[in-house]
Amino acid sequence: MIATNNYERRRFWTLIIIVSISGFSQGMLLPLISVIFETDGVSSTLNGLNATGLYIGTLLISPFIEQPLRKFGYKPIIIVGGAVVFISLLLFPFWQNVMFWFILRLLIGIGDHCLHFATQTWLTTSAPEGNLGKSMSIYGLSFGVGFAVGPLMVNLVKISETLPFIVSSLLCLIAWSFVFFIHNEKPEVLKGDSVGSNSFTRYKLSFKYAWVAFLPPFVYGVLETSLNALFPVYALRKDFDVTMVSVILAAFSIGAIITQIPIGVIGDKIGRRKVILIGILSGAVLFGFGSQVEHSEILVMCTFLVSGMFLGSLFSLGITYMADLTPKELLPTGNLLCGIFFSLGSLAGPFIGGLYLQLVDTVSFLLFISIMLFIIYFIILFFGKKLKVELN
């Protein structure tokens, strides 16, 4: 019994380390490539579109990942995903070309989603009864830690443009190697998914029950890519110091790290919807404030730090909110849809944000973020309550 508990703890923390790979690679790539492209004179629209490769890859693999997971289990999916990520990172320095880097980002998106979906489903199905909320908070925290460390790699550009890619590839390789020390398992919950005989039916039912819960992951995706891929471009145009840009981006992730577990606990006590609404409204107000104090890099950093405290848990909150609204037999499909909506938001963020930067010169980029958050807030406020009443 003791040996079993020790193994389960070791497996849990191995999966948590694996999740941090995804956060780290995304957190580094978005600002790093944006800075390199901006320095090379690449337009902000093309810069933003290039960043979408990561999330196009996620969407491309999403319809095909569930069946291999059922057939082969979690471990092979994690091994393949991790290998794709660190090999792709290692290939970046070989050819600095916009299209080549887009393809590599697409491959990293595929690898990242394999890591995310396999670890997320494994953690969900293996969590002790009553500890799911805590487990998902730690899951979100590990992603946040990786994402916070990622932008700090941008500073290595001052030494060499190839150094960040090499260092990140080696770190990912080390973390990925831990998966070989745990046993493979297959998702029993997915095998028992008897609602509907095809994927479309399960998607349709999951969307009916919990569409409002997919909005927080969508918002988090927009925020993650908009801030990390395009804010560096905007900040450099405002003559921010490159080192300070990486610190500002890290501040958002640090804020999320500080409050990830407390917010998860509060959500268990007062309800996920209330916490989501408070977080999005607070973030909208804070970014609106940040747009008025851009003369001070320190005040912008403080805005990002506090905003991260309120907004950094949106992805894990969305997953647990989905679990509140969705029948148990549809939870795997709901998890997959959370990832898909995160990717859709991640695609929309760089495209719309890049277009905004190119067309609007006089209005703050942070105000664009604030307006977007206000719109999502009112959708969840008015339509989310109606959905809950209908389901009850």
Side-chain angles (χ1 to χ4, degrees), residues 45-223:
T45 301
L46 187 57
N47 202 334
L49 285 173
N50 194 272
T52 63
L54 201 71
Y55 306 99
I56 291 174
T58 299
L59 287 176
L60 286 175
I61 196 64
S62 290
F64 309 105
I65 197 171
E66 194 171 354
Q67 288 301 327
L69 190 74
R70 294 187 191 189
K71 184 176 181 180
F72 301 111
Y74 304 107
K75 185 174 174 178
I77 302 298
I78 294 173
I79 289 173
V80 171
V84 170
V85 169
F86 75 74
I87 291 173
S88 298
L89 285 170
L90 200 58
L91 289 175
F92 271 96
F94 282 89
W95 188 24
Q96 188 170 325
N97 175 276
V98 173
M99 182 54 66
F100 180 63
W101 280 16
F102 176 81
I103 293 170
L104 290 180
R105 290 172 108 165
L106 188 145
L107 290 173
I108 288 177
I110 291 173
D112 270 339
H113 193 56
C114 289
L115 292 175
H116 258 295
F117 184 62
T119 53
Q120 183 178 306
T121 309
W122 204 348
L123 287 169
T124 302
T125 56
S126 63
E129 189 174 351
N131 280 346
L132 179 60
K134 182 180 177 182
S135 296
M136 292 313 298
S137 294
I138 297 173
Y139 169 90
L141 179 63
S142 67
F143 182 87
V145 170
F147 206 85
V149 173
L152 299 179
M153 294 288 107
V154 176
N155 293 322
L156 297 179
V157 169
K158 295 178 180 179
I159 302 172
S160 168
E161 283 191 359
T162 63
L163 188 58
F165 298 109
I166 295 171
V167 171
S168 61
S169 180
L170 291 175
L171 290 174
C172 288
L173 174 61
I174 292 168
W176 168 81
S177 64
F178 289 124
V179 77
F180 290 97
F181 298 98
I182 57 176
H183 305 304
N184 187 31
E185 294 179 22
K186 294 185 179 181
E188 295 179 9
V189 173
L190 287 173
K191 289 181 179 178
D193 183 5
S194 59
V195 178
S197 57
N198 58 68
S199 296
F200 179 76
T201 302
R202 293 196 297 271
Y203 290 155
K204 184 178 177 180
L205 286 171
S206 297
F207 191 82
K208 174 187 174 183
Y209 280 108
W211 68 265
V212 72
F214 304 142
L215 291 178
F218 176 84
V219 171
Y220 189 76
V222 172
L223 283 172

Side-chain angles (χ1 to χ4, degrees), residues 328-357:
K328 187 175 181 180
E329 61 268 23
L330 289 171
L331 284 179
T333 310
N335 273 309
L336 190 60
L337 283 170
C338 281
I340 290 173
F341 272 80
F342 168 77
S343 300
L344 290 173
S346 300
L347 283 168
F351 176 73
I352 298 172
L355 200 60
Y356 181 89
L357 281 180

Side-chain angles (χ1 to χ4, degrees), residues 31-47:
L32 174 63
I33 295 180
S34 292
V35 168
I36 292 174
F37 279 169
E38 178 68 10
T39 304
D40 291 345
V42 177
S43 72
S44 60
T45 301
L46 187 57
N47 202 334

Side-chain angles (χ1 to χ4, degrees), residues 284-362:
V285 172
L286 285 163
F287 276 113
F289 168 77
S291 69
Q292 305 302 310
V293 295
E294 291 178 347
H295 58 276
S296 170
E297 296 177 1
I298 298 297
L299 287 177
V300 173
M301 183 194 70
C302 293
T303 298
F304 272 61
L305 177 67
V306 182
S307 298
M309 292 180 180
F310 286 101
L311 297 169
S313 302
L314 285 179
F315 185 78
S316 55
L317 279 172
I319 293 172
T320 49
Y321 189 28
M322 176 275 300
D324 292 340
L325 297 174
T326 307
K328 187 175 181 180
E329 61 268 23
L330 289 171
L331 284 179
T333 310
N335 273 309
L336 190 60
L337 283 170
C338 281
I340 290 173
F341 272 80
F342 168 77
S343 300
L344 290 173
S346 300
L347 283 168
F351 176 73
I352 298 172
L355 200 60
Y356 181 89
L357 281 180
Q358 188 146 326
L359 298 178
V360 183
D361 293 328
T362 56

